[in-house]
């Protein structure tokens, strides 16, 4: 079966660091995406990992361990505008379909 | 101008009505997808198409049909809408290149309510 788990909700303080975890069990793995989605809006691309290790892009970093079926998204220097849902999605199968987790709703407080 | 557009953006309809949601893209991508999003369930794939002559069922295709009229257009139809098809619908596109990520680009969404 296909299963992707991430926490439903998290809260953090402006200026702080937050780590959003994602664990997955899928039949096949061809990469992992993180998307950001503000309420009622389209998901937008944040990061992509296909090899083990850390990918850094400004205030956002994403880590992958394929042997553990685990990824995290790290957000530094949190801003109020980072309040959004963060979607973990695994690329699986011969057609490279995306399988999404339910998303983690992050609330950033002053 | 938006690269992926969806029409309508909002629609309220009644049970049993036929509804068509349309998606157009100017990105020149071959691959197009339809998802629905429900609270607490994340995005689920309804149908996908890798070129004009290729249509594939996704995870939850029952009650839906699609048409790929051209490379740039991919329509989703609900032949006889029912209340549990009330959801936010997203179209997405991607352009697979060997060694690339096949990142998907999403349209703004269509909020559909079936009464």
């Amino acid at each position: 079966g296909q299963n992707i788990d991430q926490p439903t909700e998290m809260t953090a303080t402006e200026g702080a660091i937050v780590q959003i975890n994602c664990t997955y069990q899928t039949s096949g793995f061809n990469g992992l995406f993180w998307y950001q989605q503000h309420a009622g809006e389209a998901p937008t691309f944040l990061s992509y990992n296909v090899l083990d290790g850390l990918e850094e892009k400004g205030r956002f970093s994403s880590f992958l361990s394929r042997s553990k079926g685990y990824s995290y998204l790290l957000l530094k220097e949190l801003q109020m505008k980072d309040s959004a849902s963060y979607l973990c999605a695994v690329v699986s199968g011969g057609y490279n379909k995306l399988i999404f987790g339910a998303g983690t709703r992050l609330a950033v407080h002053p | 101008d938006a690269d992926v557009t969806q029409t309508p953006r909002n629609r309220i309809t009644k049970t049993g009505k036929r509804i068509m949601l349309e998606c157009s893209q100017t990105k020149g991508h071959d691959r197009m997808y339809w998802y629905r999003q429900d609270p607490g369930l994340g995005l689920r794939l309804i149908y996908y198409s890798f070129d004009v002559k290729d249509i594939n069922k996704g995870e939850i295709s029952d009650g839906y049909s699609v048409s790929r009229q051209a490379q740039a257009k991919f329509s989703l139809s609900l032949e006889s809408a029912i209340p549990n098809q009330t959801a936010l619908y997203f179209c997405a596109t991607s352009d697979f290149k060997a060694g690339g990520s096949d990142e998907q680009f999403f349209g703004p969404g269509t909020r559909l309510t079936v009464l």
Side-chain angles (χ1 to χ4, degrees), chain B residues 23-92:
Chain B
C23 176
S24 294
Q25 52 115 346
T26 58
K27 300 184 77 67
H29 289 172
D30 287 328
R31 300 183 171 191
M32 298 187 75
Y33 311 81
W34 275 105
Y35 293 91
R36 66 176 279 176
Q37 187 174 38
D38 300 274
L41 291 180
L43 286 155
R44 292 182 291 167
L45 184 63
I46 306 172
Y47 271 96
Y48 59 103
S49 169
F50 281 2
D51 64 41
V52 175
K53 297 180 181 179
D54 176 74
I55 301 289
N56 303 281
K57 292 183 177 180
E59 180 187 357
I60 51 163
S61 59
D62 287 349
Y64 301 94
S65 63
V66 291
S67 173
R68 185 81 184 266
Q69 302 95 320
Q71 186 205 35
K73 295 184 182 296
F74 192 36
S75 300
L76 176 72
S77 293
L78 288 69
E79 296 300 327
S80 179
I82 56 177
N84 77 1
Q85 291 177 313
T86 293
L88 186 55
Y89 290 84
F90 286 102
C91 173

Side-chain angles (χ1 to χ4, degrees), chain A residues 62-76:
Chain A
S62 57
F63 172 83
L64 175 67
S65 169
R66 289 172 295 171
S67 63
K68 295 182 179 178
Y70 169 69
S71 174
Y72 68 73
L73 179 69
L74 193 70
L75 293 76
K76 303 176 186 175

Side-chain angles (χ1 to χ4, degrees), chain A residues 10 13-14 27 45 51 80 90 105 108:
Chain A
M10 298 182 71
T13 304
E14 192 175 17
S27 54
F45 171 81
L51 299 176
M80 298 297 290
V90 171
R105 191 161 56 248
V108 180

